[in-house]
Amino acid sequence: MTRGADNASCKVQRALLVALLTLVVALVTAGNAVAAAPVVVVDPGHDRLANLRTEPIGPGSATRKIFDGGGTHGVVTGIREPDLTLAVSLRLRELLRRAGVRVVMTRSRTAGKSMGNIARARIANRAHAGLFLRVHADGAASRDARGTHTLTPALHAGWTDDVYRSSRRAARLVQAELVRALGFPDRGLQERSDYTGFNWADVPAILVELGFMTNPTEDRALARSAVRQRAAVGLCRGTLRFLRLPPGRCGP
């Protein structure tokens, strides 16, 4: 082999080595970016069937509550809460993913008997979620009851003291964005000590009540695709604010 051919071969080898190193760096960088992406567990309330089994309200508690009473339904439209919450949650999942957030769903279809709230909380705990976001809609005996509100864990030593402050912050930010998006009356925040899904969560946890399905105005509104999309955008923006990410990633 001539010296010229030898030099050409060395140049090719060096070029291949540089290309290989560049690819390795790119793969490592991409892997680190995925690993660093925050995780949100989205929990669409209820399922097709209620579940009347019981479970401890908190770790070590003798007080027990049923797994799931089944939810409410639209007083005018007849739409069931599990179907509404899933429709909004699937839209939210897409928005969060586009914003660079990893999303874990507690369910992605309405098909069977509802799981317990301990099971829901454990999904969030195993995922090391930055936020456990529970999506519901409300019901009341009076058709006049209206508005959006967000529930958050009450302070309880050994159960919620590790997530109390962060959950309050998440609730405040999500509630503000959701009210802005939907335009329903602002019913504010409410602390709950009796929510099993809160008491078993080791990560920040909130539960949003989009509106009252027992109110004709809000029931009709929540049946509309455009309003469901607005709800998803509001939830997304509030979640990103809590995660200290730009809320504009959710879209207008």
Side-chain angles (χ1 to χ4, degrees), residues 13-104:
Q13 291 177 4
R14 283 197 298 270
L16 290 173
L17 180 60
V18 169
L20 179 60
L21 289 173
T22 301
L23 177 60
V24 169
V25 170
L27 290 173
V28 171
T29 301
N32 288 339
V34 170
V39 178
V40 170
V41 171
V42 177
D43 179 30
H46 310 293
D47 208 329
R48 188 173 68 87
L49 299 173
N51 191 334
L52 302 184
R53 292 174 57 198
T54 65
E55 59 189 351
I57 195 171
S61 176
T63 302
R64 301 180 71 88
K65 284 184 66 176
I66 61 171
F67 278 27
D68 192 328
T72 187
H73 65 274
V75 70
V76 175
T77 66
I79 294 170
R80 299 177 64 247
E81 183 183 353
D83 298 315
L84 169 64
T85 60
L86 181 61
V88 172
S89 295
L90 291 175
R91 291 171 182 266
L92 174 60
R93 178 177 67 177
E94 182 63 24
L95 292 174
L96 288 172
R97 284 177 172 175
R98 290 180 188 174
V101 175
R102 294 167 58 203
V103 179
V104 175

Side-chain angles (χ1 to χ4, degrees), residues 38 101 166 169 172-173 236-247 249:
V101 175
S166 54
R169 177 174 171 269
R172 176 173 53 82
L173 294 171
C236 179
R237 288 179 61 87
T239 298
L240 292 195
R241 286 191 185 279
F242 173 68
L243 297 174
R244 306 186 192 280
L245 296 172
R249 294 182 183 180

